[in-house]
Amino acid sequence: MKCAVHPEVDATGYCRNCGKALCTTCSREVRGMIYCEACLADMVARPQPVAGQGGRSPAAATMLGFIPGLGAVYNGEYTKALVHVCTFIAIVAILSASHSDTVDTIFGLGLAAFIFYMAIDANRTAKANLVTPTRPDSDAMTIKARTIGPFVLIGIGVIFLLQNFHAFELDTLIDRWWPLLLIGVGGFLVWRRSEKQS
């Protein structure tokens, strides 16, 4: 692999923060960890947390995060809270309408994972707000997430609408095509990783 800054030179390491490939000229070693110059400058310029300054308690955010949407509300992320509540309702509706053991297993595990995701996300957001007490909505990744969230809700709504009009059987569709969900999630994660590196 070649250096991200000097394409003619082989990379000797990767930035611990952003994952960018670095040559010996570009890498900066701090306490045995390799960083790129931009990430190191960001870490040095980042204000250090002061006790009692802004933010919320990560422990309280985690506990409230187990209740759909409440952890996000506690952190001041109302759009994310709405998406969490709607997603939770959609998963529960699918589970209650399902007559298939496969669907029950997949969505039951998905519901458990989603509940833990909400708690972990609330904790990480509260910790990030302690370091930078600015609103997380200004972050570029949050803007992308705010763009994706409504499309997810629209997609779930269309699926339920088509199910109500008997355009297809949701159980049959999920039984046969659920591996496409894994492929889609994997493709999204690869795309997101490549966006971060560029």
Side-chain angles (χ1 to χ4, degrees):
M1 177 163 252
K2 300 293 183 183
C3 174
V5 179
H6 304 103
E8 67 280 354
V9 181
D10 287 335
T12 59
Y14 299 93
C15 176
R16 179 174 183 184
N17 196 32
C18 67
K20 191 183 300 182
L22 303 169
C23 65
T24 54
T25 308
C26 298
S27 64
R28 305 289 183 259
E29 188 171 339
V30 178
R31 294 184 182 165
M33 303 294 173
I34 296 175
Y35 297 97
C36 67
E37 190 169 339
C39 290
L40 194 57
D42 287 344
M43 286 189 285
V44 170
R46 183 181 303 151
Q48 296 301 315
V50 177
Q53 172 192 6
R56 307 286 184 157
S57 164
T62 303
M63 296 311 294
L64 292 172
F66 284 105
I67 302 168
L70 203 51
V73 168
Y74 180 76
N75 287 321
E77 299 180 315
Y78 303 107
T79 305
K80 185 188 284 186
L82 180 64
V83 171
H84 285 178
V85 169
C86 292
T87 304
F88 180 81
I89 290 170
I91 293 172
V92 169
I94 289 171
L95 284 170
S96 65
S98 170
H99 304 293
S100 167
D101 290 338
T102 306
V103 172
D104 289 346
T105 302
I106 291 170
F107 280 95
L109 291 172
L111 181 62
F114 183 67
I115 289 171
F116 280 102
Y117 158 76
M118 289 187 299
I120 292 167
D121 181 60
N123 178 283
R124 292 183 65 169
T125 302
K127 284 182 180 177
N129 287 344
L130 283 176
V131 174
T132 45
T134 58
R135 286 192 50 155
D137 292 342
S138 62
D139 192 20
M141 287 305 290
T142 305
I143 292 170
K144 285 183 182 179
R146 288 163 98 206
T147 306
I148 293 172
F151 289 109
V152 169
L153 294 177
I154 290 169
I156 292 171
V158 167
I159 289 171
F160 283 128
L161 183 65
L162 292 174
Q163 171 75 14
N164 286 341
F165 287 115
H166 303 290
F168 61 84
E169 290 297 321
L170 189 59
D171 292 343
T172 307
L173 182 72
I174 292 172
D175 282 344
R176 290 185 185 154
W177 298 101
W178 70 266
L180 282 179
L181 179 66
L182 297 176
I183 294 168
V185 168
F188 174 75
L189 292 175
V190 167
W191 170 78
R192 189 170 173 193
R193 179 75 176 164
S194 67
E195 285 285 314
K196 273 187 171 180
Q197 289 181 350
S198 60

